[in-house]
Structures are given as C-alpha cells and as structure tokens.
Amino acid sequence: MMYKETNTRSIAKGFSWRFFATSVTVIIVYLFFGRLDLAIAAGVIETISKVLLYYAHERIWQRILWGKKKIEPFNLWFTGLPLSGKSTIADLVFEKLKKYHIPIERIDSKDIRDLIPDIGYSRDDRNRHMHRIGHLIKTLQNNSISTVASFVSPYRESRKAIRKMVKNNVVVYVKANIETCKARDYKGVYAKALRGELQNFSGVNDVYEEPIRAEITIDTDTMETEEAAELIVRYLKKNYIKI
C-alpha cells in the first residue's frame, strides 16, 4: 500500500456508513413496532456498537498483508536527440501518473545542469554524469519512489550503466528526424552547433547512438504527444502499476 489509512479517516468512514445504515434500521423498527422511541433507541445502540466494530475491523485488516500487492518502483528513461520531444512527453506522462497516487519524481537534464552547471559535454563527462543520475534514481527507488527521467544520453554505454544500476528500467526512445529537431529549435542551439559555437552537440558534431533495445519507441514525426503519453501509461499499467 502506498498510503496508510489514518485513524481519523477510518472513523469518518465508519460514521458515514453508519448514518445511512442506522437510518434504515430506525425506519424498519418503526414500521414493525410503530414506536418512534424504540426505533431511535435501537438506532443509537446499533450505531455506537457498529462504529466501534467497524473501526476495529479496519485496524485489523490494515495489519494483514494478504491481498496487498506492493507497486515496485520503476524508472522511465526518455532518450533522444535534443528537441526530439522528450521533455514534453515526459512531463505529460508524469502528470498522468500522479493521478494514480504513487510516489513518483520528475528528473530532467536541464534541472540537473542548473544545479550542477560545471558538468562538461565530452563523452567521459557525460558518462560520469549519467552515473550520478543513476545513483540518484537508485536512492529514490530504495525509498519506493519511481522516476520519470529525460536526458539526451547519447551513448549506449551510459544507458547500459543506468539499466544495470536501477530497477525496472523502461527506456523510451523518442525518435525524431534531425530536420524536425532543427525546425523545433526555438532555443537556437542547433544553429549555434552548426556554426561551431557549441561542441559535442548530439546529432551535429557529436554522435547520437540509437538504442538497440528500447522498451518503447515513440516517433514524434508521426505520433502526437497525447497519443505517445497514453501509450506509455498503458505500458506501465500493464507491466508495473497494474491498477
């Protein structure tokens, strides 16, 4: 169970149920005996006894593990060229998953680089950075927290390292034609890379190694964001959430 039933909630549920049930009891007793005082007395006695019994019943079942299934933490790893649509889809998936009331956190490359601005972009720098992210996700998973992570992560060795480090890793390859990514270049980063102002830029002056084995592939040239998010959520519900 991801949420513990509090005593206050259990009591409120008991009173809510008993209000309806007692009303029926009072009506039945009155119809049989024609005495309102007897009907009300029966209702009061029944209400007090049943609320206490209901509370005890709820507390007992709260301690019984039979029938409960723990949702194991998972990691959604979005990878793809810059401006392929990773963050947009990941954000939408994250919002949809929050509706299932599971502990989950959103991790995006921009947020991490804002916190640690001196991270380099060489192959070695990026691979070390991915190991840091892997340790972060692993720590969150040790506390039963799932993650939705979006990183270009252009190298196969770093994605392989993430897969080994974390549990239930689901690679989502957000595929897009390089020309499509350039057309979405509202930041001007592709233009800068093409002019040589940015080095080690995936897809321009550095490689992007496509995943060989991704659990989910999303082609943003042909699939809308909402459709992609629904596909990913369905996959999680079938394999991990199972609600």
Side-chain angles (χ1 to χ4, degrees):
M1 290 287 289
M2 291 301 178
Y3 288 91
K4 179 182 177 181
E5 189 86 357
T6 64
N7 293 345
T8 303
R9 178 178 168 86
S10 292
I11 293 172
K13 285 167 64 179
F15 276 107
S16 174
W17 166 246
R18 290 318 310 164
F19 174 80
F20 292 105
T22 300
S23 298
V24 174
T25 298
V26 170
I27 292 170
I28 291 174
V29 173
Y30 181 75
L31 290 176
F32 270 89
F33 298 98
R35 289 181 54 186
L36 184 59
D37 59 336
L38 182 61
I40 293 174
V44 170
I45 293 171
E46 185 203 35
T47 297
I48 295 173
S49 61
K50 292 296 178 64
V51 166
L52 293 174
L53 288 171
Y54 179 85
Y55 173 77
H57 179 265
E58 285 283 293
R59 292 298 95 196
I60 291 169
W61 271 102
Q62 188 67 38
R63 296 174 179 273
I64 297 173
L65 295 179
W66 178 83
K68 292 181 179 180
K69 188 170 183 179
K70 182 180 179 182
I71 296 176
E72 291 294 333
F74 57 83
N75 174 53
L76 270 180
W77 186 268
F78 287 80
T79 177
L81 286 169
L83 294 167
S84 59
K86 300 181 300 298
S87 295
T88 301
I89 298 172
D91 287 342
L92 184 56
V93 170
F94 178 67
E95 291 303 318
K96 289 179 179 292
L97 291 176
K98 286 198 297 185
K99 297 177 183 178
Y100 294 99
H101 304 292
I102 59 176
I104 192 163
E105 290 290 341
R106 177 78 174 91
I107 306 173
D108 186 74
S109 58
K110 181 181 181 301
D111 298 329
I112 299 298
R113 284 191 176 271
D114 285 344
L115 291 172
I116 317 173
D118 59 343
I119 301 169
Y121 286 90
S122 70
R123 195 176 190 110
D124 287 342
D125 287 336
R126 288 188 172 189
N127 284 337
R128 281 195 296 269
H129 183 46
M130 290 300 98
H131 275 79
R132 295 189 196 104
I133 302 304
H135 282 295
L136 171 61
I137 293 171
K138 185 177 179 180
T139 300
L140 291 169
Q141 289 190 336
N142 288 339
N143 290 278
S144 299
I145 299 172
S146 297
T147 44
V148 177
S150 51
F151 292 83
V152 174
S153 49
Y155 310 127
R156 292 189 182 121
E157 65 260 32
S158 59
R159 296 195 299 264
K160 184 177 179 180
I162 291 291
R163 191 180 288 278
K164 287 182 177 179
M165 293 173 72
V166 308
K167 303 174 185 175
N168 302 323
N169 189 61
V170 180
V171 173
V172 180
Y173 173 31
V174 182
K175 185 177 182 180
N177 185 283
I178 187 72
E179 296 303 322
T180 302
C181 295
K182 291 178 183 178
R184 298 170 180 164
D185 188 15
Y186 66 95
K187 299 178 180 179
V189 288
Y190 274 94
K192 289 181 180 179
L194 289 167
R195 291 195 300 266
E197 297 174 18
L198 293 178
Q199 297 300 314
N200 305 112
F201 190 88
S202 303
V204 177
N205 46 33
D206 195 11
V207 298
Y208 175 80
E209 299 169 350
E210 293 189 358
I212 298 174
R213 184 169 62 91
E215 281 73 16
I216 303 172
T217 297
I218 301 295
D219 189 340
T220 57
D221 287 328
T222 59
M223 187 178 293
E224 296 294 330
T225 301
E226 180 67 31
E227 182 184 358
E230 286 294 338
L231 186 152
I232 295 166
V233 171
R234 284 198 301 271
Y235 179 91
L236 292 173
K237 288 173 67 176
K238 178 181 178 182
N239 294 280
Y240 296 104
I241 303 176
K242 297 183 179 179
I243 294 176

